[in-house]
Amino acid sequence: MGSRTYEHAINLSKAYGWPYGDIPTIVVTHRNLPIERPNIEFFAGDLEILVNAQLKPKYKNVWLAGGAILAGEFIRLKLADEIRLSIVPIILGNVLLFFDHVGQEQEMHLLDVTAYKNGMVELCYEIKK
């Protein structure tokens, strides 16, 4: 999880509860942030080491919850296999463009589309390597 996503989730959890339950959560950051739950740990370093040495030996699937900068790094380093884009019927305004931080062309293949009654649409893409 990216640090800004973590801060946002912590703020939302005060009203709605922590959305990830007891799932182990690694926050990628160089900042000194409070640990709000026992299943949270922080990582600052090489993302390839995080994925290949820490995560792959323990987990079959890892979900990245983050914004444009962190997701772009995972895509650029070819550490992501799939990307799920959720289109929410709200225009946010002043935000980072999601694919601004990839820095390279990346071919993807559409795997699935799910439409929800609330107007949200989720697109699932395989990242071609």
Side-chain angles (χ1 to χ4, degrees):
M1 175 181 294
S3 62
R4 285 185 250 172
T5 301
Y6 173 68
E7 289 175 311
H8 187 66
I10 290 295
N11 284 334
L12 287 175
S13 73
K14 293 171 185 167
Y16 303 104
W18 181 250
Y20 308 106
D22 292 329
I23 295 171
T25 303
I26 298 171
V27 179
V28 178
T29 186
H30 292 284
R31 299 186 296 141
N32 186 16
L33 297 171
I35 296 176
E36 298 282 335
R37 301 181 57 84
N39 60 321
I40 304 288
E41 65 179 275
F42 295 105
F43 179 86
D46 187 328
L47 294 177
E48 290 175 322
I49 292 172
L50 172 65
V51 170
N52 294 320
Q54 255 184 273
L55 300 176
K56 277 189 178 180
K58 292 182 187 176
Y59 304 104
K60 181 179 176 185
N61 293 302
V62 175
W63 178 47
L64 172 68
I69 295 170
L70 185 61
E73 275 300 295
F74 272 78
I75 293 168
R76 187 182 66 74
L77 293 169
K78 306 227 180 284
L79 296 172
D81 299 317
E82 193 176 278
I83 186 167
R84 291 178 182 267
L85 298 172
S86 297
I87 300 171
V88 181
I90 299 169
I91 297 175
L92 296 176
N94 189 17
V95 296
L96 291 173
L97 298 176
F98 186 76
F99 292 112
D100 253 11
H101 299 279
V102 176
Q104 64 194 26
E105 186 173 305
Q106 179 62 60
E107 189 176 345
M108 299 188 300
H109 171 73
L110 182 64
L111 295 174
D112 193 25
V113 177
T114 306
Y116 297 92
K117 290 180 182 179
N118 65 0
M120 186 178 97
V121 178
E122 181 182 72
L123 306 170
C124 179
Y125 288 95
E126 169 191 25
I127 298 174
K128 293 192 174 184
K129 297 186 179 183

